[in-house]
Amino acid sequence: MSKVCIYHNPRCSKSRQALALLEQQGDELEIVEYIETPPDSATLSALLQQLGMNARDLMRRGEDIYKELKLDNPDLSEAELVQAMVDYPRLIERPIVIRDGKAIVARPPEKVLELYA
């Protein structure tokens, strides 16, 4: 049995669906409600490395705060984008699931099953 970590937003239907699929697998779950307990910049940077993504790819570009902060500015550094997600965790795409050192963004929720293949 593995331990699985999910960065979860209980108000998000896709996140709830992914969590339900994980619960069916029987692994021990660590649920991080990242809106209430946002990751710090080091944790978020490590997650990005595990995901093989850059910060902008993990951002929810449709969020109002994305537009308000002009985060589409190509001159912003990776560190500035990471800090924006730390400061405004709603910007983080969800859910992020980690199992056995592999991380994915579970969109669609069924993607979590790739961690069991």
Side-chain angles (χ1 to χ4, degrees), residues 7-17 19 31-36 94:
Y7 284 80
H8 175 63
N9 180 349
R11 298 189 64 190
C12 171
S13 64
K14 300 293 183 202
S15 194
R16 289 192 309 268
Q17 290 169 15
L19 179 58
I31 301 169
V32 177
E33 291 191 19
Y34 69 92
I35 301 293
E36 301 298 322
R94 63 206 176 231

Side-chain angles (χ1 to χ4, degrees), residues 18-35:
L19 179 58
L21 287 168
L22 289 170
E23 288 172 338
Q24 292 172 7
Q25 301 305 311
D27 283 339
E28 180 184 342
L29 293 177
E30 176 186 358
I31 301 169
V32 177
E33 291 191 19
Y34 69 92
I35 301 293

Side-chain angles (χ1 to χ4, degrees), residues 8-107:
H8 175 63
N9 180 349
R11 298 189 64 190
C12 171
S13 64
K14 300 293 183 202
S15 194
R16 289 192 309 268
Q17 290 169 15
L19 179 58
L21 287 168
L22 289 170
E23 288 172 338
Q24 292 172 7
Q25 301 305 311
D27 283 339
E28 180 184 342
L29 293 177
E30 176 186 358
I31 301 169
V32 177
E33 291 191 19
Y34 69 92
I35 301 293
E36 301 298 322
T37 311
D40 61 22
S41 61
T43 301
L44 196 49
S45 294
L47 275 172
L48 286 165
Q49 189 169 17
Q50 274 187 294
L51 290 163
M53 299 172 82
N54 63 46
R56 194 175 310 278
D57 291 340
L58 189 61
M59 294 182 122
R60 297 175 54 82
R61 298 176 192 176
E63 291 289 326
D64 289 339
I65 194 70
Y66 184 87
K67 295 172 187 108
E68 289 169 24
L69 296 176
K70 298 179 176 39
L71 295 172
D72 60 345
N73 180 343
D75 294 331
L76 292 173
S77 70
E78 185 78 357
E80 289 171 316
L81 295 172
V82 166
Q83 190 59 51
M85 287 188 281
V86 170
D87 294 340
Y88 303 95
R90 292 196 187 286
L91 287 168
I92 301 171
E93 187 61 81
R94 63 206 176 231
I96 299 169
V97 181
I98 305 155
R99 180 178 189 259
D100 294 335
K102 292 188 282 185
I104 61 162
V105 176
R107 292 188 79 80

